[in-house]
């Protein structure tokens, strides 16, 4: 019982912080407006660790790699701590174990990214019907525009209804299935 509570707490606290780091990375990458409450919140929550990390992890091609690397390290920490609590012995083959934890961290970053895009598109679709002039609308539009643009170029609106979110959501579901399969393959390398 105490192991389950520990796993829950580690996963929740570090997972939420990793999510904040990922959102900050994607907001900067996709040029989401800086002066909105969500962006300001993410910067305030993560700045204490991102600023020092920038000294050691430089940006590349306009990307803030320190934020992404920190999110990946947190995911690796979450995964490794879960295996340790469950009794996995990392000393059996430390190199393989560390490599697998790193790969599982990458898979977790990809999965979380897909869920972020999924939720942003759903929120944008709901807001476009309920309250299109919401303060969140520009933020969601900036974030989802690159993903929706691929389908908007090829699929015209039907009776003034944009179907591109539907196709992006279907693609994300397929990609999540692929990621789950890759995750199983990587976990199998541990045993």
């Amino acid at each position: 019982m105490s192991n389950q509570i520990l796993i829950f707490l580690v996963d929740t606290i570090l997972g939420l912080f990793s999510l904040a780091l990922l959102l900050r990375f994607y907001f900067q990458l996709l040029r989401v407006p800086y002066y909105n409450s969500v962006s300001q919140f993410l910067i305030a929550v993560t700045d204490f660790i991102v600023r020092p990390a920038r000294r050691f992890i430089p940006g590349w091609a306009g990307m803030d790699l320190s934020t992404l690397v920190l999110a990946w390290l947190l995911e690796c920490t979450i995964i490794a701590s879960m295996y340790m609590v469950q009794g996995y012995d990392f000393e059996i083959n430390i190199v393989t174990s560390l490599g697998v934890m790193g790969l599982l961290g990458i898979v977790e970053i990809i999965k979380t990214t897909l869920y972020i895009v999924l939720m942003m598109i759903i929120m944008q679709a709901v807001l476009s019907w309920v309250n299109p002039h919401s303060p969140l609308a520009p933020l969601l539009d900036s974030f989802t525009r690159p993903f929706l643009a691929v389908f908007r170029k090829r699929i015209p609106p039907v009776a003034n209804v944009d179907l591109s979110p539907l196709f992006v959501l279907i693609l994300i579901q397929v990609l999540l299935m692929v990621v789950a399969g890759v995750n199983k393959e990587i976990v199998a390398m541990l045993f």
Side-chain angles (χ1 to χ4, degrees):
M1 173 108 165
S2 62
N3 284 350
Q4 291 174 332
I5 293 170
L6 184 62
I7 289 173
F8 169 75
L9 289 175
V10 167
D11 189 33
T12 302
I13 294 167
L14 294 182
L16 286 173
F17 193 67
S18 174
L19 176 65
L21 286 166
L22 270 179
L23 283 171
R24 179 178 175 155
F25 172 76
Y26 289 122
F27 278 22
Q28 290 174 346
L29 182 68
L30 298 171
R31 311 270 190 255
V32 172
Y34 180 77
Y35 293 106
N36 66 60
S37 57
V38 177
S39 293
Q40 293 300 312
F41 172 77
L42 293 173
I43 290 167
V45 168
T46 59
D47 228 19
F48 78 95
I49 195 167
V50 171
R51 283 190 185 263
R54 284 184 180 156
R55 293 183 197 139
F56 307 105
I57 307 166
W60 179 72
M63 291 187 287
D64 183 15
L65 290 183
S66 61
T67 309
L68 183 62
V69 169
L70 287 170
W72 172 72
L73 287 172
L74 275 175
E75 290 298 336
C76 291
T77 304
I78 293 168
I79 294 165
S81 62
M82 283 189 194
Y83 277 102
M84 280 195 281
V85 168
Q86 293 172 354
Y88 181 77
D89 185 15
F90 284 94
E91 294 177 7
I92 294 172
N93 191 348
I94 189 81
V95 176
T96 303
S97 297
L98 288 176
V100 168
M101 292 302 126
L103 288 174
L104 288 174
I106 291 170
V107 168
E108 205 54 43
I109 291 290
I110 293 168
K111 186 169 77 170
T112 304
T113 298
L114 291 171
Y115 278 118
I116 289 171
V117 174
L118 180 95
M119 292 308 300
M120 293 280 194
I121 289 174
I122 290 171
M123 287 171 51
Q124 183 181 19
V126 169
L127 273 179
S128 72
W129 287 83
V130 176
N131 186 6
H133 303 293
S134 167
L136 278 178
L139 181 140
L140 294 171
D141 182 57
S142 297
F143 191 92
T144 60
R145 188 180 311 125
F147 304 102
L148 298 175
V150 174
F151 291 98
R152 284 181 176 157
K153 290 178 187 175
R154 293 165 180 77
I155 302 166
V158 177
N160 276 340
V161 175
D162 184 14
L163 296 177
S164 58
L166 176 66
F167 290 100
V168 174
L169 294 177
I170 291 170
L171 179 62
I172 288 172
Q173 289 298 323
V174 170
L175 290 173
L176 283 169
M177 289 179 207
V178 171
V179 168
V182 169
N183 192 32
K184 285 182 184 176
E185 293 289 325
I186 294 171
V187 169
M189 293 167 57
L190 280 176
F191 303 104

